[in-house]
Amino acid sequence: QVQLVESGGGLVQAGGSLRLSCATSGRTFTSHAVGWFRQAPGKEREFVAVVSWPGGNTYYADSVKGRFAISRDKARNAVNLQMNTLIPEDTAVYYCAAVTFFSSDYWDPREYSYWGQGTQVTVSS
């Protein structure tokens, strides 16, 4: 029903910026959300940020609040993640995911039905 494709990952020095994009396709829903998660080697997948429809509300993990910004590109059917002031701890594979029913458990990756393949972000010291 929904296909997600991430892009924009790469190698950046600490203090730099990257913008990830999650292109979406397939059917749309009256109420849904698209989130970003990340997973570093040997660690569990963790929530980064999410934006909801139709309200456009955004929520962030404490670790990225003030540095990252999630936004909707309605014309391109995409969700972007602007990442600023990157630190080595941000190094991970970043995934976008979609849920068709937004709830208070938006932080839980188990709630998301659709996932992209991921894009690598590496932040050097």
Side-chain angles (χ1 to χ4, degrees), residues 8 11-20 67 82-86:
L11 175 65
V12 65
Q13 294 186 66
S17 299
L18 285 173
R19 184 167 71 171
L20 307 183
R67 299 189 299 119
Q82 179 66 46
M83 305 186 296
N84 298 322
T85 319
L86 285 160

Side-chain angles (χ1 to χ4, degrees), residues 61-107:
D62 289 341
S63 59
V64 306
K65 194 173 300 181
R67 299 189 299 119
F68 291 10
I70 189 170
S71 61
R72 301 178 293 180
D73 187 339
K74 298 177 182 178
R76 296 183 175 90
N77 295 315
V79 174
N80 298 323
L81 183 69
Q82 179 66 46
M83 305 186 296
N84 298 322
T85 319
L86 285 160
I87 58 177
E89 289 76 15
D90 295 320
T91 296
V93 176
Y94 283 69
Y95 300 89
C96 63
V99 61
T100 56
F101 184 78
F102 188 64
S103 75
S104 60
D105 294 329
Y106 61 83
W107 50 267

